[in-house]
Amino acid sequence: MLIGVIADDFTGASDIANTLAKGVPPEGGLRTAQFAGIPNVPADPTLEAGVISLKSRSAAVQDAIKESLQALAWLRQQGCEQIIFKYCSTFDSTPEGNIGPVADALADALNANGVLVCPAFPTTGRTVYQGHLFVFDKLLSESGMQHHPLTPMTDPDLRRWLGHQTTSRVGHLALKSVLAGVHETKNILSAEMMNGNRFIVADAVTDDDLLVLGETVADQPFITGGSGIALGLPRNFIRAGKAEGDGVQFAACSGPEAILAGSCSGATLGQVALHAKKHPTLAIDVPGVMSDTVTAANLLAFIKAKRGLAPLVYSSGTPEEVKDLQSKYGREAVSAKLDALFATTAQQLVENGFRRIVVAGGETSGAVAKAITDQLDVSAMTLGPEIDPGVPMLTIGTDEPVALALKSGNFGAEDFFAKALQIMEGSS
């Protein structure tokens, strides 16, 4: 294995696995697998990249550090030459969050300095300019991410935000240097390291900028960022003759379908509204979930009754609705209950022969993917075609494979749900 990724949630892991598997023309990508948690057996020796999906984004700092270091140990045992710490392309965290501490711990373990920090993903509107993170034409703090129920992001200045979380010094690689090319970016990185800056926030507003950064860090042992930072990395290994460039393997899945949505993002709310115009939907009564009067059996019964009609069950709500529920029951309690509900529902769907499952929301995706991989006793998920930017199809198992799409709340076109189900069965 050449590249190892430690991702702090499951949708982000799918996103960067997709980037590594696709690569860029003409070289192509790497043979990539996504793992649901840290495997307890060695990886397939033919793999060139492995992405470990953790649920550490909202975890306590020490828990996130411990799990990330365990993931690092396994990846190093597989021979990885380069490690990426992948976090959200909207850097959602809190001043007490774990992105900085985890990055510090991994950098210590790898004896790394001058570590790139770049959550840019221009294809989905995430760009970094003058060290500030934008979502399309809005600063991150005005994009809706300030209302995220678990990790609200209220400051777009990545240098300042990272400074809340680490005692390490944070520098900046400006866009004008990136536009000047690889030679200049390498010089700036070296200068920032000489000035004692361990982490370097890099500007990037286009994919070409990410390709420059990818070539710049070809020999770096440790990189941090969103999935975009991996865009240029496969070709470094392919050009060096270490990889072949045939990343995406596709196996269509047929069978019954279901959609589970646990995201409160504006994009997911729009996707749910559009889907509801032509397909059966069920809004989950969260107070009923908290009192155990709404269970996985209720969701399963609805989905089975609407089989063949692309049924959707969802717990999405407006920021105001979410805030009221969290105030009444507690943020962690609501999240834990809903994760458990979706996880159990997913396992019951698989038991009842459902083979195409679309999931929206990072926490929900993590709960569902871990539940199904544990159920099938398979840790590796195979990458399939991209459904929308940043969201690939995944398959679990070989005899009767289950197709999954794990969608970050903010990702996907309005018709994502129907499109995902079509691509899973080999049509578009």
Side-chain angles (χ1 to χ4, degrees):
M1 195 179 290
L2 300 168
I3 295 179
V5 181
I6 301 164
D8 68 0
D9 80 346
F10 277 67
T11 54
S14 294
D15 182 1
I16 196 167
N18 177 63
T19 302
L20 289 168
K22 283 196 315 177
V24 291
E27 291 88 358
L30 304 180
R31 291 192 297 276
T32 306
Q34 179 179 344
F35 299 94
I38 304 167
N40 53 19
V41 296
D44 180 338
T46 67
L47 288 175
E48 296 166 332
V51 182
I52 293 181
S53 320
L54 303 180
K55 286 192 67 180
S56 57
R57 176 176 299 170
S58 55
V61 168
Q62 291 306 314
D63 292 339
I65 290 174
K66 180 181 178 181
E67 197 169 17
S68 298
L69 289 175
Q70 290 171 341
L72 173 64
W74 185 85
L75 289 168
R76 294 177 86 176
Q77 289 170 4
Q78 313 313 308
C80 291
E81 299 180 17
Q82 194 166 55
I83 299 295
I84 306 170
F85 172 35
K86 197 279 176 195
Y87 39 75
C88 185
S89 61
T90 46
F91 207 78
D92 46 353
S93 191
T94 65
E96 302 78 26
N98 60 47
I99 290 177
V102 169
D104 260 325
L106 294 171
D108 285 343
L110 292 163
N111 194 29
N113 282 295
V115 177
L116 211 63
V117 174
C118 187
F121 190 6
T123 304
T124 57
R126 281 67 168 164
T127 58
V128 181
Y129 179 63
Q130 301 288 32
H132 287 62
L133 188 50
F134 287 79
V135 179
F136 294 104
D137 62 341
K138 296 182 183 298
L139 285 165
L140 178 65
S141 54
E142 301 170 8
S143 69
M145 282 307 304
Q146 69 270 32
H147 300 306
H148 193 283
L150 295 178
T151 50
M153 192 65 180
T154 56
D155 187 346
D157 188 328
L158 295 177
R159 290 165 292 178
R160 183 165 55 217
W161 201 253
L162 196 57
H164 293 317
Q165 300 180 353
T166 175
T167 57
S168 297
R169 292 180 57 177
V170 182
H172 181 222
L173 176 56
L175 183 63
K176 66 178 182 179
S177 298
V178 178
L179 294 175
V182 174
H183 180 73
E184 175 68 8
T185 54
K186 286 186 175 181
N187 286 339
I188 296 297
L189 277 183
S190 296
E192 291 288 327
M193 289 172 62
M194 292 294 291
N195 289 332
N197 293 322
R198 179 177 225 179
F199 297 112
I200 316 298
V201 173
D203 288 354
V205 299
T206 67
D207 284 351
D208 286 341
D209 299 335
L210 293 172
L211 293 177
V212 170
L213 293 175
E215 189 172 347
T216 300
V217 298
D219 299 322
Q220 295 266 6
F222 182 47
I223 306 160
T224 85
S227 63
I229 197 58
L231 189 64
L233 301 183
R235 72 179 186 181
N236 293 334
F237 290 97
I238 294 166
R239 288 174 175 178
K242 295 181 178 181
E244 297 179 1
D246 55 353
V248 177
Q249 309 291 323
F250 174 53
C253 292
S254 59
E257 75 295 333
I259 304 163
L260 308 174
S263 167
C264 302
S265 74
T268 297
L269 292 175
Q271 290 157 352
V272 169
L274 180 65
H275 195 80
K277 292 179 179 180
K278 295 183 179 180
H279 305 279
T281 59
L282 174 67
I284 296 172
D285 175 43
V286 177
V289 175
M290 301 306 294
S291 65
D292 295 321
T293 57
V294 173
T295 67
N298 302 123
L299 273 57
L300 178 67
F302 170 80
I303 293 170
K304 289 178 68 176
K306 306 300 182 180
R307 175 174 169 166
L309 301 175
L312 180 153
V313 297
Y314 66 98
S315 66
S316 306
T318 65
E320 293 75 22
E321 291 169 338
V322 172
K323 186 176 180 179
D324 287 344
L325 289 168
Q326 290 179 340
S327 176
K328 182 174 182 180
Y329 297 106
R331 186 180 72 175
E332 289 78 11
V334 172
S335 177
K337 273 282 194 179
L338 287 173
D339 282 356
L341 175 68
F342 282 118
T344 303
T345 301
Q347 288 182 327
Q348 292 183 4
L349 287 168
V350 172
E351 288 174 1
N352 282 269
F354 283 75
R355 289 294 178 266
R356 292 179 292 149
I357 302 176
V358 181
V359 191
E363 296 296 317
T364 305
S365 292
V368 167
K370 190 69 168 67
I372 295 176
T373 52
D374 285 351
Q375 179 183 21
L376 300 179
D377 195 25
V378 176
S379 63
M381 296 179 281
T382 303
L383 271 289
E386 187 175 55
I387 300 165
D388 270 335
V391 192
M393 186 184 110
L394 300 166
T395 55
I396 305 173
T398 55
D399 294 336
E400 291 185 273
V402 175
L404 281 182
L406 307 177
K407 184 192 83 71
S408 174
N410 291 297
F411 281 17
E414 269 201 317
D415 62 346
F416 176 83
F417 295 139
K419 184 194 306 181
L421 292 174
Q422 292 171 350
I423 290 176
M424 285 175 173
E425 62 180 0
S427 58
S428 57

